[in-house]
Amino acid sequence: VLDDNAFVEVKKRINGWHTLGIVGGPTKSIYHGVFKKDDTTGLVDPYALGPSEYIRAMASVALCLSVVNARDEENSIQSTTMSRTPLRYLHMGYGSGSLMRFLRLAIPESQHVAVDLDPTVVEAAVELGLIDPASSCERLEVGDALEYPCLETKETDESTRFHGVCIDVYDGANRMPPGFYAVPFLEKLRDNLLETDGCAFVIHNFHFGTGRHENQLEDAMESYRIVFGTTSAKEAANDDGTTNNNPQCTFRHHSLHRVDSLNTNNHGGNTILIAIANKDASTNKSSWLDLAALATEGW
């Protein structure tokens, strides 16, 4: 939460770009993100992702995996028609809202909920026009994403489950809070928040390059392997999708992948962990390119 001695700072750059950050307090400065406004209309450009390659990587992966969920009822990858069922996304951490705005426009009728810990950031987002509080397709809430209400109960109402969860949260020391990759949290995410049909996924951004970041990434990957890196939630599933220990378990196929943003090297950058539930997913180059082509064609 914003320190009493800190404040939200917005700086106007060239060509309509703005940076959003927090200045002051014990952490001195926290960079939240960028956005672009039309100098004439003052409207925020939803397709302007800015220079951050990791945002582009998260958006690209989200589009590729979302196209699987958006196919017809048979979910045939060869289908050229998109489902009329709105896809739902949960964003843990808002920043400047670039990813949420982009996906909301890129995926027609999609619905988005974002949770941010700091009420000042949420107020600034509304004041700056980064989000429309009257929209039925996007909602920005103040709260601790680790305590998101639906995490605690197995929901049957489809409106409380999500096709995709995007996690991009850092503390004042620029580290991912360990709770966001702890096994109990990931299990609740998998069992209580993700859609039980289709290709539900989690996209999780991590910093990379320093010793402490590498150690944290290794710990996170191990937790994700435990929860998503097997062929079923707890053990091999039966033919009907259930397990001997948990008859309600319907997650028959899980997979874990890692993607580095284009600007990542040995000295630093961002790594995206991708956890997929319910469906086998190939990671070879041609399959990702095929999904990208389908997303381009369909949207």
Side-chain angles (χ1 to χ4, degrees):
V1 179
L2 189 63
D3 185 88
D4 290 338
N5 297 315
F7 58 91
V8 174
E9 178 185 67
V10 179
K11 284 188 175 182
K12 186 175 182 179
R13 309 294 184 174
I14 62 172
N15 299 324
W17 287 102
H18 298 69
T19 54
L20 174 67
I22 294 177
V23 177
T27 58
K28 304 302 181 184
S29 178
I30 301 176
Y31 170 76
H32 267 256
V34 301
F35 59 94
K36 186 178 183 181
K37 277 191 172 184
D38 185 282
D39 289 333
T40 302
T41 65
L43 297 177
V44 176
D45 183 352
Y47 290 112
L49 293 176
S52 298
E53 289 294 344
Y54 86 89
I55 292 287
R56 297 175 186 275
M58 292 180 77
S60 298
V61 170
L63 287 175
C64 286
L65 296 178
S66 293
V67 78
V68 180
N69 292 310
R71 309 314 290 177
D72 63 7
E73 293 181 358
E74 287 75 27
N75 214 20
S76 170
I77 204 65
Q78 285 79 29
S79 172
T80 58
T81 60
M82 292 294 192
S83 170
R84 293 182 179 272
T85 302
L87 300 183
R88 296 176 299 278
Y89 302 85
L90 175 63
H91 303 260
M92 295 185 169
Y94 181 74
S96 63
S98 298
L99 181 62
M100 186 165 101
R101 280 193 303 278
F102 177 83
L103 293 178
R104 181 176 63 81
L105 267 293
I107 304 176
E109 300 183 10
S110 59
Q111 299 174 353
H112 299 261
V113 177
V115 182
D116 199 281
L117 184 63
D118 202 316
T120 311
V121 172
V122 174
E123 292 172 9
V126 175
E127 182 178 338
L128 293 168
L130 302 181
I131 191 169
D132 179 6
S135 172
S136 60
C137 296
E138 57 181 2
R139 188 168 79 249
L140 176 55
E141 303 176 354
V142 178
D144 186 347
L146 285 174
E147 299 176 358
Y148 191 72
C150 297
L151 277 170
E152 300 304 321
T153 56
K154 186 179 291 293
E155 297 289 341
T156 56
D157 182 357
E158 67 173 18
S159 66
T160 61
R161 287 185 174 269
F162 300 93
H163 297 91
V165 176
C166 304
I167 304 176
D168 189 10
V169 179
Y170 288 90
D171 60 19
N174 203 27
R175 295 193 67 184
M176 175 69 60
F180 282 98
Y181 55 86
V183 168
F185 170 76
L186 295 179
E187 288 180 332
K188 291 177 182 178
L189 201 65
R190 179 198 64 202
D191 296 339
N192 298 343
L193 279 187
L194 289 180
E195 268 286 351
T196 55
D197 295 320
C199 182
F201 60 86
V202 180
I203 302 175
H204 199 153
N205 174 47
F206 284 86
H207 289 164
F208 179 78
T210 66
R212 66 172 186 170
H213 288 147
E214 290 177 13
N215 291 337
Q216 185 175 62
L217 179 61
E218 286 301 320
D219 291 342
M221 291 181 67
E222 180 58 27
S223 294
Y224 268 99
R225 287 190 190 101
I226 292 172
V227 178
F228 289 96
T230 58
T231 56
S232 69
K234 296 290 186 181
E235 57 182 326
N238 300 321
D239 290 338
D240 61 358
T242 63
T243 64
N244 295 327
N245 287 347
N246 181 8
Q248 301 302 315
C249 176
T250 56
F251 294 97
R252 295 192 59 195
H253 303 287
H254 302 302
S255 56
L256 174 64
H257 314 282
R258 170 180 172 175
V259 174
D260 292 341
S261 61
L262 288 178
N263 61 340
T264 297
N265 53 44
N266 293 334
H267 304 291
N270 294 77
T271 290
I272 314 299
L273 295 187
I274 308 160
I276 302 174
N278 311 336
K279 184 176 288 292
D280 291 321
S282 172
T283 57
N284 65 70
K285 184 177 180 181
S286 61
S287 65
W288 284 104
L289 291 177
D290 290 342
L291 290 176
L294 287 169
T296 301
E297 176 188 356
W299 291 319

